[in-house]
């Protein structure tokens, strides 16, 4: 299992674990992480799975595909380390990854 820490915009941390090959969105859904509603179920139609990947891990991720990039640009509060969590699979190299949830996705 791979450790993942989700941090809400209010600073609340959720330390959870996911299986290698799962998407970050699946890990968030399995653990009922607030702010990752993933309304389209991972089919690149909603951007409600938008997250920020901490820099220590961001640079090691596969490049963003064009379709994901277009959808990221439609999200609120986009940053250089923005990704759609349904498009980020968990390889072992992401052990300990820190994932922040944009303020626009928390109520
Ligand atoms: Fe809809 Fe990721 S869950 S785009």
């Amino acid at each position: 299992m791979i450790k993942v820490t989700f941090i809400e915009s209010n600073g609340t941390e959720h330390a959870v674990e996911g299986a290698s090959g799962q998407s970050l969105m699946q890990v968030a859904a399995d653990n009922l992480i607030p702010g990752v509603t993933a309304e389209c179920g991972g089919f690149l139609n909603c951007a409600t799975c938008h997250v920020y990947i901490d820099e220590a891990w961001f640079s090691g991720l596969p490049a963003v595909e064009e379709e994901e990039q277009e959808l990221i640009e439609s999200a609120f509060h986009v940053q250089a380390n923005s990704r759609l969590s349904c498009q980020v699979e968990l390889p072992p190299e992401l052990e300990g990854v820190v994932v922040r949830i944009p303020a626009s996705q928390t109520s």
Side-chain angles (χ1 to χ4, degrees):
M1 298 297 275
I2 299 166
K3 291 180 184 165
V4 179
T5 300
F6 290 94
I7 304 178
E8 297 181 57
S9 60
N10 66 7
T12 303
E13 295 191 13
H14 303 267
V16 299
E17 290 184 321
S20 180
Q22 270 191 307
S23 71
L24 280 175
M25 180 274 278
Q26 289 170 318
V27 177
D30 288 350
N31 292 281
L32 304 176
I33 303 299
V36 186
T37 54
E39 290 170 11
C40 79
F43 289 99
L44 274 178
N45 272 323
C46 71
T48 57
C49 63
H50 176 207
V51 295
Y52 309 127
I53 310 292
D54 259 31
E55 294 299 335
W57 293 269
F58 184 81
S59 59
L61 294 176
V64 180
E65 300 282 340
E66 185 178 343
E67 202 174 352
E68 180 186 356
Q69 185 60 43
E70 288 175 3
L71 203 49
I72 287 172
E73 289 168 7
S74 74
F76 293 103
H77 301 157
V78 174
Q79 298 182 359
N81 60 339
S82 286
R83 291 296 302 257
L84 297 182
S85 59
C86 68
Q87 302 302 305
V88 178
E89 290 191 351
L90 268 184
E93 297 76 32
L94 281 192
E95 170 67 27
V97 65
V98 175
V99 180
R100 297 177 193 276
I101 299 168
S104 56
Q105 290 178 206
T106 55
S107 53

